[in-house]
Amino acid sequence: MLESFRIILLIVLSCILWSCSSVDNKLVDSTLCDFNRYVSNNNYDSLSILNDSFNKNPELGLVILSKVKDSIPIAYEAALAVMVTPKNAAEIALSNILAMPEKDSNKAKMHINQIASWYSLIGKEKNITIFKETIDSCVKTYDISKQAKLYILSSSPKQLGNLLKQDSITKKALISEIKSIYNNNDLIEFNNALK
């Protein structure tokens, strides 16, 4: 499981590095300028057209995404929705969330919700389904500790306890891992919801 995650990460990084050398810098700069203007002016139709162009030139999207990553979060989340496929966006978003500390659950939830909301804003609602399905299928391939972290970051202790209580395929190892991560107050809330 961990090995497949590493392979995916290496592939994404390789694509970024490869695309940096094969994509025209002037095109990157002008597209990045257009993207920033469209986002700041809420020009969703132009962002939708830009999204269509990245389907024809995914390398350009990855290069621009790497340049936007350290900018303001909303631009990065818009870039994830516009610059790459929904599958790539899901894999990158999960990687971002796994890098967050457990206390950043609001930030993690907002990250996913903002990407999905950008799909709606640019008229690509069908991508929301692909994005969420990819997240679900990726999470199932992760080891228990990563699954637990993702569940903790995406749900309140009460929500997570209720979800796992209703799940007929609940894994005892997952519940044990979650309990080992929660602090006292969260653990009490989680245990109460599991009853």
Side-chain angles (χ1 to χ4, degrees):
M1 303 293 173
L2 179 60
E3 191 61 34
S4 64
F5 177 74
R6 287 182 182 158
I7 291 171
I8 291 171
L9 188 58
L10 286 173
I11 290 170
V12 170
L13 290 174
S14 298
C15 288
I16 290 171
L17 291 174
W18 176 80
S19 62
C20 286
S21 62
S22 68
V23 175
D24 178 22
N25 285 333
K26 288 181 182 178
L27 180 59
V28 169
D29 291 342
S30 69
T31 307
L32 185 56
C33 184
D34 289 343
F35 170 77
N36 286 329
R37 187 175 67 252
Y38 299 156
V39 169
S40 63
N41 293 328
N42 297 323
N43 192 335
Y44 304 125
D45 290 336
S46 294
L47 285 168
S48 180
I49 292 167
L50 194 59
N51 175 260
D52 293 338
S53 73
F54 288 119
N55 291 330
K56 297 173 188 156
N57 191 352
E59 295 85 15
L60 177 62
L62 287 170
V63 172
I64 293 172
L65 182 62
S66 70
K67 290 183 176 279
V68 174
K69 184 167 176 44
D70 296 325
S71 68
I72 56 173
I74 195 150
Y76 179 59
E77 289 153 348
L80 278 168
V82 173
M83 307 290 174
V84 296
T85 67
K87 289 182 179 184
N88 285 346
E91 291 165 357
I92 293 167
L94 284 172
S95 177
N96 293 339
I97 291 171
L98 284 170
M100 294 177 186
E102 282 86 9
K103 63 180 171 37
D104 283 351
S105 66
N106 287 338
K107 188 175 176 184
K109 290 177 215 169
M110 274 184 37
H111 187 52
I112 296 295
N113 291 336
Q114 286 294 323
I115 296 165
S117 118
W118 276 102
Y119 286 131
S120 290
L121 290 171
I122 65 171
K124 305 287 183 180
E125 287 84 3
K126 68 181 182 344
N127 289 353
I128 297 171
T129 304
I130 298 166
F131 177 70
K132 290 186 175 183
E133 286 173 354
T134 303
I135 286 175
D136 290 341
S137 65
C138 285
V139 169
K140 290 175 186 173
T141 67
Y142 291 161
D143 63 37
I144 295 296
S145 64
K146 285 183 182 172
Q147 286 183 27
K149 182 173 182 177
L150 287 168
Y151 287 131
I152 286 170
L153 283 166
S154 63
S155 307
S156 72
K158 183 177 180 178
Q159 290 170 328
L160 188 52
N162 285 327
L163 175 74
L164 292 175
K165 177 174 64 175
Q166 295 169 4
D167 186 358
S168 62
I169 313 171
T170 301
K171 300 175 183 171
K172 290 181 183 181
L174 179 60
I175 291 173
S176 295
E177 183 69 26
I178 290 167
K179 286 181 177 183
S180 74
I181 296 171
Y182 274 141
N183 65 32
N184 288 339
N185 292 336
D186 291 339
L187 183 58
I188 291 168
E189 189 178 341
F190 177 71
N191 283 332
N192 287 338
L194 272 176
K195 293 179 184 179

